Amino acid sequence: MMALIHSKNTIIKLGSVDLSTYVKSSEFARKADVHDVTTYGKADHVYSGGLGDGTFKMDGVYDSTATTGPRAAIEPLIGTEVVLTRQPEGTGSGKAQDVVDIIVTGYTESSPVADYVTWSMDAQLSDAVNSTAQSV
Amino acid sequence: MNLASVMDAISARLDTIAGLRCFAYPPGSVVPPAAVVGYPTTYGYDETYGRGVDRMSLPVVLVIGKVSDRSVRDQMAAYVSGSGTGSVKTVIEGGTYTAFDVVRVTGVELDTYTIGATDYLAAIFDLDILGKGA
């Protein structure tokens, strides 16, 4: 039976640090290369699938929590590899999960004068995504 | 956040302004000058995943005195000022709170309230409050 899933229960972890309660939005994008393998005699292009690829980004509310806040947890990871665990339906046996190495490519803090400090992070997926459902 | 604790904390902080009678909820009647912490105009859940952050807009109403008194105008000027010991914005934003994480006084509107047969000058401050969702 299909059911709509609300995003509010999404879990996002970098390594062992659960950042979920600081995250307002996240996007896990997977894609693949496409190769043109058209040969003479064809009237239309023919394509073949190539290597998988993907990116991840998230943003949220800045929190000064010393060791688990976004600044403390993410900023030192810029340019390095860390394991991303993403549970879009929340935690629970049989629920969806993606586990993949990512390279943190950017961390941005924004300070609009009329609102609270926010942050965002961009990352590049690296190697295969393990999308085996949770077995908690 | 616990709403009652948030309203208590704001009222307690306002109570540090000399001469104000402060109420942590709308009382049956007030004798100016008084500050009343009202109920939230909005209370938003799930600002972040996992019940991390909730957000509310809370009004604080100051009823100062007769709208026709010049001294009332001068008192009001101190309360709505962006700085000074009587500044509601400065006092509220300068507090240390455990009931929520952060508060910003985003603006104020002046209005006239009629109590009995008397018109009183009032200021309605808007507070933007963020705190833990769970």
Side-chain angles (χ1 to χ4, degrees), chain A residues 8 21 23-24 26 114-116, chain B residues 47-50 55 104 128:
Chain A
K8 68 186 177 71
T21 57
V23 180
K24 286 176 72 76
S26 63
D115 211 335
Y116 298 98
Chain B
E47 286 282 316
T48 65
Y49 298 155
R55 186 172 195 165
R104 190 170 80 89
D128 184 17

Side-chain angles (χ1 to χ4, degrees), chain B residues 33-49:
Chain B
V36 177
V37 181
Y39 285 102
T41 53
T42 62
Y43 194 124
Y45 301 114
D46 303 321
E47 286 282 316
T48 65
Y49 298 155

Side-chain angles (χ1 to χ4, degrees), chain B residues 35-125:
Chain B
V36 177
V37 181
Y39 285 102
T41 53
T42 62
Y43 194 124
Y45 301 114
D46 303 321
E47 286 282 316
T48 65
Y49 298 155
R51 302 291 303 115
V53 176
D54 287 345
R55 186 172 195 165
M56 72 172 83
S57 295
L58 202 68
V60 168
V61 181
L62 262 66
V63 183
I64 308 304
K66 290 180 183 174
V67 71
S68 55
D69 286 355
R70 180 172 182 167
S71 64
V72 168
R73 184 204 64 176
D74 294 345
Q75 277 182 280
M76 182 61 83
Y79 291 134
V80 302
S81 172
S83 61
T85 54
S87 162
V88 168
K89 180 177 175 66
T90 299
V91 167
I92 288 180
E93 293 182 357
T96 302
Y97 305 99
T98 56
F100 53 88
D101 280 15
V102 63
V103 57
R104 190 170 80 89
V105 180
T106 59
V108 61
E109 285 185 31
L110 302 189
D111 202 351
T112 303
Y113 274 66
T114 303
I115 304 174
T118 305
D119 288 338
Y120 289 97
L121 183 60
I124 304 105
F125 293 86

